[in-house]
Amino acid sequence: ETGVTQSPTHLIKTRGQQVTLRCSSQSGHNTVSWYQQALGQGPQFIFQYYREEENGRGNFPPRFSGLQFPNYSSELNVNALELDDSALYLCASSLVIRTGSSYEQYFGPGTRLTVT
Amino acid sequence: AQTVTQSQPEMSVQEAETVTLSCTYDTSESDYYLFWYKQPPSRQMILVIRQEAYKQQNATENRFSVNFQKAAKSFSLKISDSQLGDAAMYFCAYRSASGNTPLVFGKGTRLSVIA
């Protein structure tokens, strides 16, 4: 069984640019959650995708958007980058069964985004 | 909204000794899950241990065990026989048991292991 993978590992962008981060979920998982982890902080929930639809969102502005594909991989897009967007972006996948119950979230290694 | 508090920004322990990391949380729910995650310098968040709130018995995983006090809303992690590889950031996290809800994390505790 393959684990959660993320790409790229790190990247540097300029304020005002747009960025796309990618995540491949663990085999058999149907839900992907994205978290932002600022330096020295715990991860903060951005949003979650279940079966290609967003089904939960944290306190992040609309310039943070995402997609989930039929193979359950996912993208996180951030428009109009700001300096405060510099952080580690973590993707986590999990299996959600029909009743809504879910199992543990398994995390990828993250993408380190630096905005200059 | 649920909150998770880790009051110890940094801890250190001698190799082979025991250390306890503290975590408190606030919730009005009765059914939920609590987790400890380890984040080494490689950045990958690794699940250490999980506790279901409806279970009175404390979870254990090899050298890792928890002290879950539901009434006090406390969830501490005990690491026995500490090893150099245990050095990492440790995050306490909460998740509601109702539906497909996200994890709520504390700010973390940095654990150093001294040889």
Side-chain angles (χ1 to χ4, degrees):
Chain A
E1 135 183 313
T2 57
V4 180
T5 60
Q6 292 186 243
S7 63
T9 303
H10 58 269
L11 73 167
I12 300 172
K13 290 286 189 178
T14 303
R15 189 172 49 186
Q17 287 188 315
Q18 178 266 343
V19 69
T20 297
L21 311 181
R22 294 178 174 82
C23 171
S24 291
S25 58
Q26 186 163 311
S27 177
H29 287 183
N30 56 13
T31 299
V32 172
S33 304
W34 286 92
Y35 294 84
Q36 180 196 65
Q37 185 178 14
L39 195 62
Q41 301 293 317
Q44 297 289 316
F45 174 66
I46 302 175
F47 47 56
Q48 178 173 273
Y49 278 82
Y50 170 62
R51 303 178 97 175
E52 301 179 58
E53 290 192 3
E54 183 181 301
N55 81 330
R57 189 177 185 93
N59 189 25
F60 281 81
R63 58 190 186 84
F64 285 78
S65 63
L67 284 172
Q68 187 181 31
F69 300 100
N71 66 353
Y72 301 124
S73 65
S74 176
E75 288 183 353
L76 163 65
N77 300 291
V78 187
N79 293 322
L81 284 166
E82 300 178 0
L83 297 179
D84 285 349
D85 295 333
S86 295
L88 180 67
Y89 288 83
L90 296 167
C91 162
S93 75
S94 60
L95 172 64
V96 174
I97 59 178
R98 200 175 310 181
T99 60
S101 298
S102 62
Y103 298 89
E104 282 87 349
Q105 295 190 2
Y106 292 88
F107 284 82
T111 294
R112 172 75 65 189
L113 172 65
T114 301
V115 182
T116 61
Chain B
Q2 296 82 19
T3 58
V4 176
T5 302
Q6 293 179 250
S7 59
Q8 305 154 316
E10 296 184 358
M11 292 282 286
S12 63
V13 62
Q14 292 279 349
E15 197 175 5
E17 296 296 309
T18 296
V19 64
T20 298
L21 308 184
S22 301
C23 172
T24 59
Y25 58 95
D26 189 26
T27 184
S28 59
E29 299 177 325
S30 59
D31 197 12
Y32 48 87
Y33 304 103
L34 295 165
F35 305 86
W36 279 98
Y37 280 89
K38 171 186 177 182
Q39 187 178 42
S42 66
R43 311 178 320 200
Q44 184 118 27
M45 198 76 77
I46 301 165
L47 178 63
V48 174
I49 200 164
R50 157 191 167 133
Q51 175 79 43
E52 290 90 345
Y54 66 86
K55 290 186 177 178
Q56 292 188 334
Q57 187 173 5
N58 289 324
T60 62
E61 286 288 341
N62 301 312
R63 298 183 294 107
F64 299 88
S65 62
V66 299
N67 184 4
F68 173 48
Q69 301 289 328
K70 191 172 184 179
K73 295 180 182 175
S74 170
F75 182 61
S76 61
L77 174 70
K78 186 172 80 171
I79 306 174
S80 303
D81 185 24
S82 296
Q83 300 175 1
L84 294 178
D86 295 333
M89 284 291 293
Y90 285 81
F91 292 95
C92 179
Y94 170 103
R95 183 167 67 79
S96 171
S98 59
N100 186 13
T101 54
L103 291 162
V104 178
F105 286 89
K107 290 189 174 182
T109 296
R110 181 174 301 281
L111 178 66
S112 301
V113 180
I114 304 165

